[in-house]
Amino acid sequence: MTTKTPKQSKSYLDNLNDTQRQAVTHIDGPALIIAGPGSGKTRVLTYRVAHLIESGVAPWSILTLTFTNKAAKEMKERIEHVAGENGNKIWAGTFHSVFARILRIEAPQIGFPSDFSIYDSQDSKSAISEIVKNHGLDSKVYNSSAIYSRISLAKNNLISPKAYFEDADRILEDKQHKMPYLYKIYELYVRKLKRSGAMDFDDLLYNMNLLFEKNPENVLEKYQKRFKYILVDEFQDTNQLQYSIIKKLVKYSGSTNNICVVGDDAQSIYAFRGATIQNILNFEKDFPTISVFKLEQNYRSTSYIIKAANDIIAKNRKQIPKTIFTAKEGGERIGVIHAITDTEEARQITNLIVEQKNRYQLSNDDFAILYRTNAQSRVFEEALKAQRIAYKIYGGTSFYDRKEVKDVLGYLRVIVNPRDEEALKRVINYPTRGIGATSISKLTTIAEKENLSLWTILKNVQHADLPKRTENSIKQFVAMINLFQQRVQDSSAYELATHVVKITGIIQDIKKAKTIEAQNRIENVTELLDGIKSFVEEDEIDEFSTNIEDRSILSYLQNVVLLTDIDKDQEDVKCVKLMSVHSSKGLEFKSIMIVGMEENLFPSMMALKSKNLQAAIDEERRLFYVAITRAEQWLTLSYSSSRYRFGNMTYNSSSRFLDEISPKYLDLSTKVQTAKVSQPYNRKNTMNKLSAMSKPYVKAKMMANFKASPISDAITGAEILHQRFGNGKIISIDGDGNNKVATILFEEEVGEKRIMLKYAKIQVLK
């Protein structure tokens, strides 16, 4: 088959700016392309490969490594569009897919069959569980997920079972976690994989590195000669193991080190996955003859957004100096919204979306709400639903669809209605209590045959002919539910839910994994409890309030059902996107809202408690930089003075990152709920005023002697102190007895509120 001549020939170079063209046409020797956000990185990488082919380089001698199969596929399609059919002959794929392809050929060199199996995480955890069981270890202590994560981290840091055992710090850490035999499990797990002719996902990298180390001449040299040009995308996200393999491939005496890496140190945000920013920072030291190209022109965002991003990232210590600029001069200043509560923050953000849609003729899919932790999505989901705005959780699950949230709600549903079979099946053996699927299936069959509820069968389980151990477990479960039901009348919905989480041991069960994902799941459970507490204590009357007189657990569950029982979005429905900042990397939207800009949230509490505080803050700042640069035209930052966390009302100071942006790029007058004429811009005075209201010690001092007053003390004209909204004055009171509603004028930032006195947390001052 003859190769088609590309239609574009080299006219594609005309689509590049000067720096992009230099990066594309550079052929021989090592190259580092620093690609700022929105700088045309993908185009440069694609055109560089196309230019190599146009310049006579054999396409099969080009290796391009990416982090997603989608990116590799799109790149090959773009290259083929420019360079013709030859573009499809390059080696392009993820690290794992490319190395698996090589290992299929070379695996016998390290004692594996060419048709080795690849274990997914569930296969690996199952193998680990079997090892734990066969050696008589406690599976509750030696949790398979925690062990799997620990082994994965070791492999990605090039630590073999032998090196693991010889690492005194690791052994000590395992002993502190009451897992002194973890090193042995690692060794047995590796043996088991070898015996099974299998590799796990991490082995595709680990064994690739091992293959090259053990076979420097007959294997490594073969691939060094084959891959004469190597390109690596998103280089800042590589870990120690990936970089080790890359360096082996290019370190060859007959090679001219034709390696090109593309990335941005300012967007290195995956340290928790093992990525190390040192790879890109030290690249120049490893390849002294390097050519560096800095793509600094941004084609995505307006000038205020780009200048703010430069302000932020300039505060980081270790970085490759660059200054991003844009041709999109003008635009609007960055809005800053200060809310009193997180619920108010969600309402203002939702109202701003409505306002921008109307003012600028935008669609729902032009918007994204970014948060630091997935648990923050709850209040925004509720506010968007109240306004009937379609939305989707991007890269995650809707808050109320997350397993741990559904587990807690499942218990609450059973307490209210034990005949709820779906909820009952969900929780009867979670956390594990020895009631297996076979027993549940048998009991369900009996219930259907006798036309009785499953709950009725459970209460009479002694007649079901089950093993004595299972029967006892079911009796204990029934007794626990009965005790929960006895608390319904005397406990608030929040008190009951908190008690359920404690007694069932859901948090303890999640903690066993000792992973980042486990911590996120725990945060989701506590966020659910905080949401229930907010529901119980809500006293404000407005268009979003539902059934404010009834704060029972039944009322709460009904409220959740109304929030979550909506028709599935059709493919053509345009939705506002909700996502974590990590999930937003690589995406762009016309209007971005970054919410929860508070200390202990962004930067995160985990970062602020890190042993290496400066490095942790630097990573959080890079994360904020990524978030800011997703915005094309409008950017809004928001924070709240108070929010429920772990069941307690916390008073928050605004994030340090807000103070790192120059005043001239911000619009602090952004306020949607209450229409006001913006005052002349004065950042210093405004920030002093806002921070005075939000500093924790000020709020703590105000509330130190707080004591709620009886309803009878609340009269028109009284000056009061509200637990969340601060100082105010009662303007009028409507209704009688326990149904009294007060209209209260609070300080300027809060404005006028209608409060249900029955639920109000107010102290009458005079």
Side-chain angles (χ1 to χ4, degrees):
M1 182 183 290
T2 57
T3 302
K4 294 181 181 179
T5 303
K7 295 179 181 179
Q8 290 88 347
S9 186
K10 293 191 179 181
S11 62
Y12 57 83
L13 296 177
D14 297 336
N15 298 323
L16 305 173
N17 64 36
D18 290 344
T19 309
Q20 289 174 332
R21 190 179 299 107
Q22 292 170 21
V24 165
T25 55
H26 170 274
I27 294 181
D28 295 321
L32 170 62
I33 300 176
I34 302 298
S39 61
K41 177 201 70 171
T42 304
R43 171 180 288 188
V44 168
L45 192 56
T46 300
Y47 283 12
R48 181 180 170 86
V49 175
H51 187 72
L52 287 172
I53 296 172
E54 287 277 282
S55 301
V57 175
W60 49 85
S61 70
I62 301 171
L63 170 63
T64 301
L65 296 170
T66 65
F67 273 84
T68 67
N69 288 309
K70 180 183 177 183
K73 183 173 181 290
E74 289 178 353
M75 189 176 299
K76 290 182 77 169
E77 289 173 351
R78 289 191 186 191
I79 293 168
E80 191 171 359
H81 180 70
V82 176
E85 292 179 0
N86 274 332
N88 199 39
K89 297 176 183 178
I90 68 169
W91 282 58
T94 65
F95 284 86
H96 293 87
S97 64
V98 169
F99 296 161
R101 182 178 172 184
I102 294 174
L103 284 168
R104 288 292 180 204
I105 301 168
E106 310 293 350
Q109 302 279 357
I110 53 174
F112 283 86
S114 293
D115 59 351
F116 61 86
S117 300
I118 299 177
Y119 277 12
D120 63 18
S121 60
Q122 290 305 314
D123 294 326
S124 296
K125 291 173 186 177
S126 177
I128 290 168
S129 294
E130 186 178 337
I131 293 169
V132 169
K133 181 180 178 181
N134 291 344
H135 286 77
L137 298 172
D138 187 347
S139 60
K140 292 181 180 178
V141 176
Y142 286 89
N143 177 271
S144 60
S145 294
I147 295 171
Y148 176 66
S149 295
R150 192 88 168 137
I151 291 173
S152 175
L153 186 64
K155 287 182 179 179
N156 282 289
N157 282 288
L158 295 167
I159 299 170
S160 66
K162 183 176 183 294
Y164 193 107
F165 175 68
E166 293 172 350
D167 189 329
D169 290 338
R170 288 180 185 273
I171 297 299
L172 178 60
E173 188 175 346
D174 288 342
K175 287 179 178 178
Q176 290 172 343
H177 286 111
K178 298 181 180 179
M179 294 190 291
Y181 299 110
L182 198 150
Y183 75 92
K184 190 65 177 177
I185 296 173
Y186 183 12
E187 180 186 347
L188 293 170
Y189 172 65
V190 170
R191 287 184 193 173
K192 186 178 181 67
L193 287 172
K194 193 79 173 281
R195 193 167 59 247
S196 303
M199 298 185 195
D200 66 19
F201 204 57
D202 297 307
D203 284 332
L204 298 177
L205 301 178
Y206 187 86
N207 286 336
M208 187 72 185
N209 190 68
L210 187 68
L211 172 70
F212 285 164
E213 278 188 352
K214 291 186 174 293
N215 303 276
E217 296 177 358
N218 61 331
V219 178
L220 176 58
E221 189 173 319
K222 177 171 78 173
Y223 290 97
Q224 287 172 331
K225 289 179 178 178
R226 169 171 292 180
F227 300 129
K228 295 178 180 178
Y229 291 85
I230 298 174
L231 297 92
V232 184
D233 191 16
E234 302 287 5
F235 186 63
Q236 78 280 350
D237 294 334
T238 55
N239 61 30
Q240 185 178 345
L241 177 53
Q242 289 163 328
Y243 191 31
S244 175
I245 298 169
I246 292 167
K247 285 191 287 187
K248 285 181 175 64
L249 276 172
V250 298
K251 289 289 185 183
Y252 172 60
S253 57
S255 166
T256 53
N257 290 340
N258 293 324
I259 178 171
C260 172
V261 300
V262 183
D264 182 6
D265 59 296
Q267 297 186 67
S268 177
I269 60 173
Y270 294 116
F272 68 96
R273 293 182 186 170
T276 171
I277 193 174
Q278 296 305 319
N279 288 350
I280 193 167
L281 294 179
N282 295 335
F283 190 74
E284 195 167 352
K285 295 179 182 177
D286 294 330
F287 297 93
T289 59
I290 193 173
S291 296
V292 180
F293 305 94
K294 296 181 181 180
L295 307 182
E296 296 175 299
Q297 182 169 358
N298 178 285
Y299 293 93
R300 176 188 302 154
S301 309
T302 58
S303 59
Y304 284 122
I305 295 168
I306 293 304
K307 289 172 182 176
N310 283 330
D311 275 1
I312 288 294
I313 205 62
K315 304 296 188 298
N316 272 13
R317 301 167 306 158
K318 298 179 180 178
Q319 59 176 297
I320 299 171
K322 59 184 171 298
T323 302
I324 308 301
F325 65 94
T326 179
K328 290 185 177 181
E329 289 300 327
E332 294 188 12
R333 286 191 177 93
I334 298 166
V336 178
I337 290 178
H338 169 227
I340 302 303
T341 68
D342 54 345
T343 305
E344 179 69 19
E345 177 186 28
R347 292 174 186 169
Q348 287 205 46
I349 288 293
T350 303
N351 288 345
L352 180 59
I353 289 173
V354 173
E355 181 181 303
Q356 289 188 346
K357 281 175 66 176
N358 293 333
R359 181 181 295 180
Y360 305 114
Q361 290 75 54
L362 301 179
S363 300
N364 285 339
D365 57 351
D366 290 324
F367 297 89
I369 299 174
L370 310 185
Y371 34 73
R372 181 63 182 84
T373 65
N374 286 317
Q376 290 172 255
S377 74
R378 178 186 62 83
V379 290
F380 294 96
E381 290 186 63
E382 293 174 2
L384 289 165
K385 283 171 179 171
Q387 290 275 34
R388 304 186 70 81
I389 296 175
Y391 73 88
K392 280 188 178 179
I393 304 289
Y394 184 95
T397 307
S398 175
F399 181 82
Y400 291 104
D401 287 336
R402 291 167 189 159
K403 179 187 180 301
E404 55 278 8
V405 172
K406 292 179 77 69
D407 289 335
V408 177
L409 292 176
Y411 272 106
L412 299 180
R413 285 167 56 186
V414 169
I415 293 167
V416 170
N417 176 20
R419 293 172 299 174
D420 185 336
E421 190 168 306
E422 292 305 310
L424 196 53
K425 286 180 178 179
R426 182 177 193 93
V427 303
I428 191 171
N429 197 41
Y430 181 76
T432 305
R433 50 177 61 91
I435 307 173
T438 302
S439 297
I440 296 171
S441 178
K442 182 177 181 179
L443 293 169
T444 304
T445 301
I446 294 172
E448 291 173 351
K449 185 178 179 180
E450 299 186 11
N451 196 27
L452 296 171
S453 69
L454 179 57
W455 176 249
T456 300
I457 302 301
L458 291 176
K459 289 194 296 182
N460 297 279
V461 71
Q462 65 270 20
H463 304 303
D465 191 28
L466 294 177
K468 198 65 180 177
R469 184 175 178 181
T470 303
E471 181 183 316
N472 289 335
S473 294
I474 290 174
K475 286 180 177 178
Q476 290 171 11
F477 172 75
V478 170
M480 179 179 67
I481 297 299
N482 284 333
L483 288 173
F484 289 156
Q485 289 176 321
Q486 292 171 21
R487 297 178 66 104
V488 170
Q489 297 302 321
D490 300 326
S491 303
S492 70
Y494 171 73
E495 291 168 341
L496 178 63
T498 302
H499 182 68
V500 167
V501 170
K502 179 181 178 181
I503 297 301
T504 57
I506 289 174
I507 294 289
Q508 287 72 17
D509 186 74
I510 297 172
K511 279 182 177 178
K512 292 175 185 175
K514 299 184 178 71
T515 62
I516 293 293
E517 290 75 16
Q519 182 59 40
N520 289 337
R521 293 180 63 201
I522 291 170
E523 288 179 2
N524 288 334
V525 173
T526 57
E527 174 64 18
L528 175 66
L529 295 177
D530 290 343
I532 296 173
K533 186 162 190 177
S534 180
F535 171 84
V536 169
E537 297 189 352
E538 181 61 66
D539 55 14
E540 184 183 354
I541 304 289
D542 62 21
E543 67 270 27
F544 299 102
S545 299
T546 57
N547 199 18
I548 192 149
E549 292 79 12
D550 186 358
R551 294 307 184 194
S552 66
I553 193 67
L554 177 60
S555 178
Y556 173 77
L557 289 172
Q558 178 175 306
N559 192 50
V560 170
V561 170
L562 292 173
L563 283 172
T564 58
D565 188 19
I566 58 174
D567 294 332
K568 295 290 184 183
D569 291 324
Q570 301 300 314
E571 287 297 321
D572 59 349
V573 173
K574 295 183 177 181
C575 301
V576 173
K577 298 296 191 302
L578 277 68
M579 68 189 78
S580 70
V581 179
H582 279 102
S583 296
S584 74
K585 191 167 183 287
L587 303 176
E588 57 188 49
F589 296 88
K590 287 183 179 178
S591 182
I592 289 282
M593 283 82 173
I594 308 174
V595 300
M597 292 301 304
E598 301 145 29
E599 289 291 292
N600 289 317
L601 197 52
F602 202 176
S604 70
M605 187 182 298
M606 190 176 295
L608 294 175
K609 291 182 177 179
S610 172
K611 292 179 181 177
N612 190 345
L613 179 61
Q614 189 60 57
I617 293 297
D618 283 356
E619 172 116 349
E620 291 286 300
R621 191 177 282 113
R622 291 194 294 271
L623 192 57
F624 185 41
Y625 176 85
V626 167
I628 286 176
T629 53
R630 299 310 93 200
E632 296 177 10
Q633 291 178 264
W634 297 277
L635 174 63
T636 306
L637 311 175
S638 70
Y639 68 102
S640 67
S641 295
S642 64
R643 68 176 66 237
Y644 279 111
R645 298 197 74 182
F646 310 106
N648 297 313
M649 178 66 73
T650 60
Y651 301 104
N652 318 305
S653 55
S654 58
S655 170
R656 66 188 68 193
F657 297 151
L658 289 177
D659 291 326
E660 292 178 355
I661 301 175
S662 173
K664 56 190 175 184
Y665 308 142
L666 300 178
D667 177 7
L668 288 167
S669 65
T670 309
K671 184 91 172 169
V672 187
Q673 187 177 13
T674 306
K676 293 180 181 177
V677 178
S678 296
Q679 298 299 316
Y681 183 80
N682 187 322
R683 171 178 167 82
K684 184 176 180 181
N685 291 342
T686 310
M687 283 300 289
N688 285 342
K689 180 180 177 184
L690 295 186
S691 62
M693 293 184 66
S694 61
K695 285 184 179 178
Y697 66 84
V698 174
K699 278 287 186 184
K701 186 176 180 181
M702 287 170 62
M703 299 302 170
N705 299 314
F706 181 87
K707 185 177 180 181
S709 302
I711 295 177
S712 58
D713 288 358
I715 60 175
T716 301
E719 293 184 8
I720 60 97
L721 177 65
H722 189 279
Q723 198 171 36
R724 283 191 292 168
F725 301 137
N727 291 307
K729 186 174 183 178
I730 298 177
I731 299 173
S732 64
I733 296 178
D734 304 315
D736 299 310
N738 287 335
N739 294 321
K740 285 184 178 180
V741 176
T743 301
I744 305 175
L745 181 62
F746 290 97
E747 293 173 339
E748 183 181 357
E749 284 300 320
V750 182
E752 189 177 292
K753 301 284 185 183
R754 280 174 53 77
I755 302 293
M756 188 80 175
L757 291 177
K758 177 180 177 180
Y759 299 106
K761 294 289 189 290
I762 66 171
Q763 178 180 353
V764 176
L765 302 177
K766 60 180 179 178

